[in-house]
Amino acid sequence: MQPIKRKILYSIVLIIGFAWILVSADKSGVSTSGKIPAPQQGFLAPDFELKTLTGETIKLSDLRGQVVLVNLWATWCPPCRAEMKTIEKIYNEYKDQGLVVLAVNMTYQDDPFAIVPFVKEQGLTFPILLDETGGMAGAYQLRSLPSSYFIGRDGIINEVVIGGPMAEALLRTRIEDILE
Amino acid sequence: MIDAFRSLFAPPRHLILLVAAIWVGLALAEKRAERHGVSKDALNNIAYYSILGYIIGGRLLYALANLSAFSQSPLSLFSLNFDLFDPASALVTALIVGFVYGKQQKLPLWQTLDALTPLFATLAIGLSLTHLAAGTAFGSPTNVAWGMDLWNATRHPTQVYELLASLLTFSLIWFQKSDSPRGVLFLNFLALTAGSRLFLEAFRGDSMLTYGGFRLAQIIAWITLAIALFASESIRQRGKVN
């Protein structure tokens, strides 16, 4: 191709590209559909209502205004077991600043008799919720354990961490970011 | 089929795709390295050192930015969590390491970039596959017939668009005539990648927006495209003068 023709072609490409930027600007100012509940960063955390080990009922949407860490776990999952003590440590450090930890046990695929001994052995003080039907796991499209969701005061998921065990620094940086 | 793929490579297994892309990309780049006047050993070394720089730089600079958290648990520095990582710092470190190694070994810049282009193009394919597996880089809600159900809405399958664009870019790069001036292969890859990002970003549902609702990635892609086209033309002109 002749250099002059190539220069014209390049100029046309850049002009069309510039026009495309103008045309495809998102005038709403919010490109992520924050109001749709979905288990992904930038979306509203799907609501759930579950019973705890002590028989209370906890609904996620009732905790709006607080920073919530939702951790999906099972007793048979080694990385889930490994990260519990770290979560407990961080919970004790930040609970006075408004951190709530909801550890949701995947009871429908766990041994129900193994849960209480494990919680006692680890000395866990945050609420342990029981997903007996798999409804919560379905809403959160669970594919790997552990899965953790860091939810801001507005109910929007700030960060999703799939897999574990989560390092102490990871928990600290994420929680401090949201608490700010 | 997409559901089965997403299930098989659900996070954190999606990273296998990226590792496989690096492996395949290096093998392909190695195959053609000597055509660009770069030895296979030099190509492998620059790639390995840059990858090492990426991994170490990404973790160390993340730790430096969050010093108070890491000072309370220094062992977290060695954690296997991929989330304790700063990708932007990692990329800058990899570029610096690659550049310094190339300078030390007196590797010619443009020929080395040309030789590495199949690796970059394969990495782009791998990256789009990881997006597809993890459901990240998702599209905006749509009514088009080929929309994909993701995150509780029917969305533009932007990960599939991205995959097709990266496959097309790879084909164009792989089958490009070998008589192009030095550096043009790499710059063509850069222009094609920037051009496709500029076009496809419009269908994304997770764009970072700047003032006026403009998508930041599009602005960066447009600047990259302009630089790649300008540099490519400049190399062709210089080649003619010489």
Side-chain angles (χ1 to χ4, degrees), chain A residues 115-127:
Chain A
I115 304 167
V116 174
F118 174 73
V119 170
K120 280 191 178 157
E121 175 200 313
Q122 299 277 317
L124 307 179
T125 56
F126 45 74

Side-chain angles (χ1 to χ4, degrees), chain A residues 2-86:
Chain A
Q2 298 280 323
I4 188 74
K5 280 188 183 167
R6 212 165 36 230
K7 278 182 189 166
I8 292 171
L9 177 70
Y10 289 174
S11 304
I12 292 171
V13 166
L14 289 175
I15 290 167
I16 292 173
F18 191 74
W20 184 244
I21 293 176
L22 299 180
V23 169
S24 59
D26 193 331
K27 299 288 186 292
S28 67
V30 189
S31 71
T32 302
S33 307
K35 298 295 171 205
I36 301 175
Q40 169 72 350
Q41 187 180 340
F43 288 81
L44 195 64
D47 200 13
F48 57 82
E49 187 173 357
L50 293 170
K51 279 217 154 66
T52 66
L53 270 183
T54 51
E56 292 166 77
T57 300
I58 293 183
K59 192 176 182 185
L60 179 66
S61 53
D62 289 344
L63 299 171
R64 198 67 58 82
Q66 288 174 286
V67 169
V68 184
L69 166 60
V70 176
N71 176 258
L72 278 60
W73 69 285
T75 58
W76 50 260
C77 151
C80 305
R81 299 173 70 98
E83 69 185 12
M84 280 301 184
K85 280 217 162 116
T86 315

Side-chain angles (χ1 to χ4, degrees), chain B:
Chain B
M1 200 173 102
I2 288 179
D3 283 343
F5 173 80
R6 291 194 64 218
S7 206
L8 184 63
F9 292 106
R13 293 188 295 276
H14 67 312
L15 293 171
I16 295 170
L17 296 164
L18 216 51
V19 175
I22 292 173
W23 184 65
V24 172
L26 256 181
L28 292 173
E30 221 180 62
K31 218 172 167 183
R32 293 213 173 156
E34 273 154 20
R35 184 188 284 190
H36 301 286
V38 177
S39 76
K40 286 180 186 178
D41 285 345
L43 185 94
N44 275 320
N45 286 342
I46 199 169
Y48 286 132
Y49 285 126
S50 300
I51 292 167
L52 212 60
Y54 185 86
I55 295 168
I56 295 173
R59 175 59 61 90
L60 277 182
L61 291 170
Y62 180 87
L64 276 176
N66 297 282
L67 207 54
S68 67
F70 278 84
S71 62
Q72 290 175 68
S73 54
L75 284 179
S76 295
L77 200 59
F78 305 102
S79 158
L80 291 175
N81 286 148
F82 299 112
D83 303 271
L84 285 169
F85 197 77
D86 180 356
S89 305
L91 187 64
V92 172
T93 314
L95 289 175
I96 293 172
V97 169
F99 186 76
V100 169
Y101 179 81
K103 275 273 171 205
Q104 265 187 350
Q105 299 297 313
K106 295 190 173 63
L107 294 176
L109 178 68
W110 288 116
Q111 286 100 310
T112 308
L113 287 173
D114 281 345
L116 285 168
T117 299
L119 170 63
F120 298 147
T122 316
L123 256 178
I125 298 171
L127 202 61
S128 61
L129 286 171
T130 60
H131 288 157
L132 184 62
T136 48
F138 54 85
S140 53
T142 181
N143 293 320
V144 297
W146 58 88
M148 181 167 91
D149 285 335
L150 184 66
W151 307 132
N152 297 339
T154 304
R155 300 177 178 280
H156 275 289
T158 40
Q159 302 94 339
V160 178
Y161 300 162
E162 192 187 351
L163 176 62
L164 294 175
S166 58
L167 285 170
L168 182 67
T169 300
F170 178 85
S171 309
L172 292 170
I173 294 304
W174 191 250
F175 297 110
Q176 182 174 316
K177 275 189 262 173
S178 56
D179 60 349
S180 316
R182 288 162 189 172
V184 168
L185 183 72
F186 170 72
L187 290 169
N188 281 352
F189 162 76
L190 202 61
L192 286 165
T193 304
S196 55
R197 183 68 192 265
L198 172 59
F199 178 64
L200 295 178
E201 186 69 20
F203 305 103
R204 288 271 290 265
D206 63 342
S207 296
M208 190 182 279
L209 302 179
T210 58
Y211 185 74
F214 297 112
R215 296 167 198 263
L216 187 63
Q218 280 187 320
I219 296 168
I220 295 170
W222 189 87
I223 295 168
T224 309
L225 177 65
I227 291 171
L229 294 178
F230 176 79
S232 168
E233 188 53 30
S234 161
I235 285 176
R236 284 178 204 273
Q237 292 299 318
R238 229 182 305 153
K240 275 197 177 159
V241 171
N242 293 339

Side-chain angles (χ1 to χ4, degrees), chain A residues 44 64-66 151-157:
Chain A
L44 195 64
R64 198 67 58 82
Q66 288 174 286
I151 303 165
R153 296 183 196 278
D154 51 2
I156 304 285
I157 297 175

